[in-house]
Amino acid sequence: DVKVTQSSRYLVKRTGEKVFLECVQDMDHENMFWYRQDPGLGLRLIYFSYDVKMKEKGDIPEGYSVSREKKERFSLILESASTNQTSMYLCASSLTGSLQPQHFGDGTRLSIL
Amino acid sequence: AQTVTQSQPEMSVQEAETVTLSCTYDTSESDYYLFWYKQPPSRQMILVIRQEAYKQQNATENRFSVNFQKAAKSFSLKISDSQLGDAAMYFCAYRSARYGGATNKLIFGTGTLLAVQP
């Protein structure tokens, strides 16, 4: 079974901190995604990566950056955390021929105080 | 811009009964894909079913089937013989069939929370 692993299920940080959310997949998938999930808004794409060191902005990239130095790992970085970034963050992956997410991680519930 | 609307924030069904979740979308494109995703409580989101717009036949996956009405831009999910494990948040999603990076991003609806009563 494909596994997408997010490093933390729950995380509490303070405003202004630099926050790293890590995601690792074990099936050699080319595509990886970071979504943010908020009640009443569904899932919104933050960033998408289709290969190592390759990335594209999604709907809401402001305040975020990403890093993909190795194929299996896709990191989401909050440069200077703010309270409006309190949310559930979902990582996902898929094969090259499948541009929609196939497998999701458990999610990281991030609270910014 | 494409939009996806799920007008039912919550629904409830009795175990073994059938329930239909609604989804409508807006697009000017003729070629696209539609999806239903399931997110159980505290568990990973999974892809339930997928429909290609060029196919007239409705997709089915075991107890899950869709009613795809292209002209009406409607894509409902029917769950037959509901089970307790079907309780989850269900998201409808749209993706353009055109190739090109973020233009292929999924557009999600706001979700429908399904409760299954024993």
Side-chain angles (χ1 to χ4, degrees), chain B:
Chain B
Q2 295 87 3
T3 58
V4 176
T5 301
Q6 293 179 252
S7 58
Q8 305 153 316
E10 297 182 14
M11 290 195 71
S12 182
V13 63
Q14 291 292 129
E15 202 173 1
E17 297 293 311
T18 295
V19 64
T20 299
L21 308 184
S22 301
C23 174
T24 59
Y25 58 95
D26 189 27
T27 183
S28 59
E29 297 179 334
S30 59
D31 200 10
Y32 48 87
Y33 302 95
L34 296 163
F35 308 88
W36 279 98
Y37 283 86
K38 172 185 176 182
Q39 186 180 38
S42 302
R43 291 182 61 191
Q44 293 178 347
M45 186 175 298
I46 59 172
L47 176 62
V48 174
I49 201 164
R50 158 189 169 136
Q51 175 80 42
E52 290 87 349
Y54 64 86
K55 289 187 178 179
Q56 292 187 335
Q57 187 173 6
N58 289 325
T60 61
E61 283 289 342
N62 300 313
R63 297 182 296 106
F64 296 86
S65 62
V66 299
N67 184 5
F68 173 48
Q69 301 287 332
K70 192 172 184 179
K73 296 180 182 175
S74 171
F75 183 61
S76 59
L77 176 70
K78 185 172 83 170
I79 306 174
S80 304
D81 186 25
S82 297
Q83 300 174 1
L84 295 178
D86 295 333
M89 180 73 86
Y90 287 83
F91 291 96
C92 179
Y94 167 103
R95 178 171 78 75
S96 168
R98 287 184 295 122
Y99 186 82
T103 61
N104 295 115
K105 66 176 187 279
L106 274 184
I107 300 168
F108 284 89
T110 53
T112 296
L113 183 62
L114 178 66
V116 180
Q117 308 299 331

Side-chain angles (χ1 to χ4, degrees), chain A:
Chain A
D1 273 357
V2 174
K3 197 156 180 67
V4 178
T5 303
Q6 294 183 230
S7 53
S8 305
R9 290 295 300 270
Y10 301 94
L11 205 54
V12 180
K13 296 291 182 181
R14 298 204 172 275
T15 55
E17 282 193 66
K18 191 169 185 176
V19 181
F20 293 84
L21 302 184
E22 306 288 347
C23 175
V24 176
Q25 50 92 5
D26 64 0
M27 278 301 289
D28 205 35
H29 281 179
E30 289 79 10
N31 300 323
M32 296 189 75
F33 309 79
W34 273 107
Y35 287 90
R36 173 176 170 160
Q37 182 179 2
D38 298 289
L41 296 177
L43 278 72
R44 292 177 291 169
L45 181 66
I46 305 172
Y47 267 98
F48 160 62
S49 171
Y50 51 92
D51 204 346
V52 174
K53 297 187 186 294
M54 307 305 286
K55 62 186 179 184
E56 289 205 13
K57 293 180 180 179
D59 295 315
I60 50 166
E62 296 79 18
Y64 303 94
S65 62
V66 289
S67 171
R68 191 150 181 218
E69 297 296 319
K70 294 184 178 181
K71 194 174 186 180
E72 67 270 19
R73 184 180 297 271
F74 191 35
S75 303
L76 180 70
I77 304 154
L78 285 67
E79 297 291 343
S80 177
S82 63
T83 54
N84 62 13
Q85 292 178 308
T86 291
S87 186
M88 170 71 86
Y89 290 86
L90 294 174
C91 176
S93 72
S94 70
L95 289 167
T96 295
S98 178
L99 288 167
Q100 65 279 346
Q102 292 173 295
H103 302 276
F104 284 82
D106 288 336
T108 295
R109 188 165 293 283
L110 175 64
S111 296
I112 306 296
L113 305 179

